Amino acid sequence: MIFDLDLAAALADHRKAGAVATMVLAPYPRGATYGAVEVDGQMNVRRIAGRGAQPEPSLSKLHFTGVHVLEPELIARLPSEGESDINRTAYVRAIHDGARVHGFLQQGLLGDLGAPRSLLRAHLDVLEKRIPLQRFRPEADPFDGCEERTPGVFVHPTAQVEAPLTAPVLIQPAPSSRLERWSAPA
């Protein structure tokens, strides 16, 4: 996954909602057939993968990103022994008991990298600078230290290139300089 989530905003929204849990959600992909998280107009989670409250036509289908903000009260709803599924066990119990399970609709980039086509798309998005890399971990920018030789062609000064390059392309530092750059301090 590549995921640009404002976790501070999700936490603030969770606290404002006073919920036992907040599920970080994204728009439900067109054509998807897996179980959705269904929310009402106030972003109260009402159904998860068809479980929870009764179906209602006014509920909106969203995609669960796998990120939760949890209160101890929700964790206490999990069985103390054996296997459990927080979505099917704790959340559904909380919904049935009238506890507030909240949904936070994230606004950042969410990309699945689990298939060759989506991995290629993500690489092209990075190369074409459509992904806001500055929001990710400091020093994670693969373009750092590279020169843009022609539009869309980024080459590190230590790289030896002996072939014509066509955009988009990114050539990183030569292996020895890259190892020196990222080595742990002694």
Side-chain angles (χ1 to χ4, degrees):
M1 296 291 296
I2 188 164
F3 193 13
D4 178 24
L5 168 64
D6 186 345
L7 193 53
L11 182 59
D13 195 56
H14 169 77
R15 289 179 175 150
K16 182 179 174 186
V20 297
T22 295
M23 300 176 81
V24 176
L25 306 170
Y28 193 73
R30 190 177 355 185
T33 57
Y34 53 82
V37 172
E38 297 175 62
V39 299
D40 64 20
Q42 289 76 45
M43 292 300 289
N44 294 306
V45 174
R46 305 298 300 139
R47 296 173 53 80
I48 300 171
R51 295 178 173 89
Q54 292 297 317
E56 300 172 30
S58 63
L59 296 179
S60 299
K61 284 185 172 184
L62 295 169
H63 167 73
F64 178 47
T65 65
V67 177
H68 320 246
V69 180
L70 305 174
E71 295 295 329
E73 178 185 335
L74 184 88
I75 296 169
R77 293 176 183 273
L78 291 168
S80 60
E81 293 184 27
E83 292 183 20
S84 67
D85 178 330
I86 194 166
N87 294 335
R88 292 187 171 110
T89 307
Y91 281 139
V92 172
R93 286 180 186 168
I95 291 167
H96 279 296
D97 294 345
R100 182 149 195 223
V101 176
H102 184 64
F104 174 76
L105 186 59
Q106 66 89 24
Q107 301 298 318
L109 172 74
L110 173 66
D112 178 7
L113 305 178
R117 175 175 278 167
S118 59
L119 183 60
L120 174 61
R121 179 77 262 152
H123 277 84
L124 291 172
D125 286 345
V126 166
L127 288 171
E128 294 167 1
K129 297 198 170 197
R130 287 192 297 259
I131 293 180
L133 295 172
Q134 67 277 8
R135 289 191 38 112
F136 292 93
R137 184 176 61 86
E139 300 177 10
D141 187 348
F143 297 94
D144 187 36
C146 293
E147 302 165 346
E148 189 170 16
R149 293 193 177 169
T150 61
V153 175
F154 298 88
V155 179
H156 194 273
T158 63
Q160 295 177 357
V161 179
E162 298 176 13
L165 301 173
T166 304
V169 66
L170 169 64
I171 299 183
Q172 295 280 324
S176 64
S177 67
R178 187 176 178 117
L179 290 174
E180 291 171 14
R181 181 176 166 201
W182 294 105
S183 63

